Amino acid sequence: MGEVDVEVGGILRMDGQETKLALNEGGSLFVHITKSQQGSDTGMFTCHIRGLDIKNIESGLLGLRAIDPYFELSKKFVDPDHGISRWHVVYRSEHILNSINPYWNPFEIDVD
């Protein structure tokens, strides 16, 4: 299906705080980010994700089958002692069965 890396800070600096990102295997991810009204580094991250025209890599019998997409959100952690950064999955969505245009349920994760 593909993947894309999204840097929140870069999108916040864009006009309209919105961008379209191409998935590396076909399809697109549209991202719109709104800066916190509270202005702190704590709280909840609220997200609603939709995929459009994701490349179907599971054609199946007679070409009638579609992919079962899901997504993962990862957070970058930096080891302060060694300066090594690693990505850890902080959220994994539900699978949307047989869809190239999935619309996932909204979710929240704690940003602490």
Side-chain angles (χ1 to χ4, degrees):
M1 225 178 12
E3 64 182 58
V4 65
D5 292 327
V6 177
E7 291 289 334
V8 172
I11 296 171
L12 282 172
R13 289 187 292 275
M14 293 178 173
D15 288 336
Q17 299 171 328
E18 186 171 277
T19 190
K20 176 183 176 182
L21 303 166
L23 295 171
N24 65 352
E25 297 291 328
S28 299
L29 176 69
F30 291 84
V31 180
H32 176 86
I33 298 175
T34 304
K35 190 173 182 178
S36 169
Q37 299 300 314
Q38 298 172 352
S40 79
D41 291 337
T42 61
M44 300 300 290
F45 173 75
T46 304
C47 191
H48 199 174
I49 295 180
R50 178 180 179 195
L52 296 173
D53 298 324
I54 297 172
K55 183 177 179 181
N56 187 8
I57 57 174
E58 294 183 14
S59 59
L61 184 63
L62 302 175
L64 299 176
R65 185 162 175 192
I67 57 174
D68 302 331
Y70 70 96
F71 67 89
E72 294 178 339
L73 287 180
S74 299
K75 182 176 181 180
K76 186 177 184 178
F77 291 93
V78 178
D79 182 334
D81 297 328
H82 301 100
I84 298 171
S85 60
R86 299 183 190 270
W87 291 89
H88 297 280
V89 174
V90 294
Y91 182 82
R92 178 175 288 159
S93 75
E94 72 276 16
H95 282 81
I96 304 293
L97 300 178
N98 298 317
S99 177
I100 62 169
N101 296 302
Y103 197 77
W104 286 278
N105 292 323
F107 63 94
E108 289 186 339
I109 55 175
D110 194 336
V111 296
D112 294 336

